[in-house]
Amino acid sequence: LLKMEEICPREILRAVRRNLCPALRDLLQHGLVDFPAHQGSVFGCFSKYNEYETNVLHVWNVVEKFYELKHGKELADAPVRKLSTAFQLENIGGKSITSRQRLLTTIDNILSTHVKLKRSSDAMFKAFISAALNYGKLSPWLRMIFHCKEILDDCYTSWSYCTVVGIDEICQSLDRLSTFQFCVPVDFAIRPFDLLNDAF
């Protein structure tokens, strides 16, 4: 069994989880709508996936909202998609897996592994950022989510960072990371539980 340091240097892991993720979280949470005013409608997924959380919105709930808007669950449950995920196939039937399909499948994987272990929204957001870095898709995936008109209209106030400044400014800085190859553990928050299960 490889040690964590052999998969991802400790300095890289710390930089991603302690610096990059909180910085992105704080920027992307700026100006989120007030949860109680939208309970049961815009953020219906909040109670569905995060029953263990307090009623405080997190940017991960926005990611979940995108997943629902784009029918991520239906995509992930399709037999062809399950096959491609299980065997890490890049194409099925001669058709390449699109970036959006990869994004939705990644969100589904994080939900399916983290929610049952009562991991927090912050833990799932860190897993998402880690997976995006590993695929070299951090900027494209953030653009895909935060360019979505329904997301901006339903989830953010008119004075929010994402509405006024926009995601492109963040992504211009993040684009530099695409030249590096990452292998950040996506299962960091659930790894102790996986190791415990393996022991038995």
Side-chain angles (χ1 to χ4, degrees), residues 152-170:
L152 293 177
D153 289 347
D154 292 345
C155 304
Y156 287 94
T157 60
S158 60
W159 46 265
S160 69
Y161 180 90
C162 287
T163 302
V164 176
V165 179
I167 193 66
D168 287 333
E169 182 174 84
I170 298 175

Side-chain angles (χ1 to χ4, degrees), residues 38-75:
H38 294 78
Q39 191 168 10
S41 55
V42 173
F43 285 100
C45 59
F46 184 88
S47 57
K48 181 177 180 181
Y49 297 124
N50 291 290
E51 58 185 296
Y52 311 109
E53 293 275 3
T54 57
N55 290 350
V56 177
L57 277 182
H58 191 286
V59 66
W60 173 251
N61 303 126
V62 179
V63 177
E64 288 179 329
K65 180 63 182 176
F66 179 85
Y67 170 81
E68 289 208 336
L69 282 171
K70 303 304 178 182
H71 308 289
K73 185 62 176 173
E74 291 87 338
L75 173 70

Side-chain angles (χ1 to χ4, degrees), residues 1-92:
L1 185 65
L2 291 175
K3 295 181 179 179
M4 185 78 71
E5 292 82 357
E6 296 178 55
I7 300 172
C8 177
R10 186 173 298 177
E11 294 78 7
I12 299 296
L13 182 62
R14 185 181 296 115
V16 170
R17 294 184 61 85
R18 294 188 183 179
N19 300 111
L20 177 61
C21 290
L24 284 175
R25 178 198 63 208
D26 292 346
L27 277 174
L28 298 175
Q29 282 185 183
H30 178 264
L32 275 178
V33 294
D34 188 37
F35 174 73
H38 294 78
Q39 191 168 10
S41 55
V42 173
F43 285 100
C45 59
F46 184 88
S47 57
K48 181 177 180 181
Y49 297 124
N50 291 290
E51 58 185 296
Y52 311 109
E53 293 275 3
T54 57
N55 290 350
V56 177
L57 277 182
H58 191 286
V59 66
W60 173 251
N61 303 126
V62 179
V63 177
E64 288 179 329
K65 180 63 182 176
F66 179 85
Y67 170 81
E68 289 208 336
L69 282 171
K70 303 304 178 182
H71 308 289
K73 185 62 176 173
E74 291 87 338
L75 173 70
D77 286 343
V80 170
R81 184 59 49 215
K82 287 184 176 180
L83 179 66
S84 67
T85 301
F87 293 96
Q88 298 183 331
L89 303 177
E90 293 298 326
N91 62 75
I92 293 288

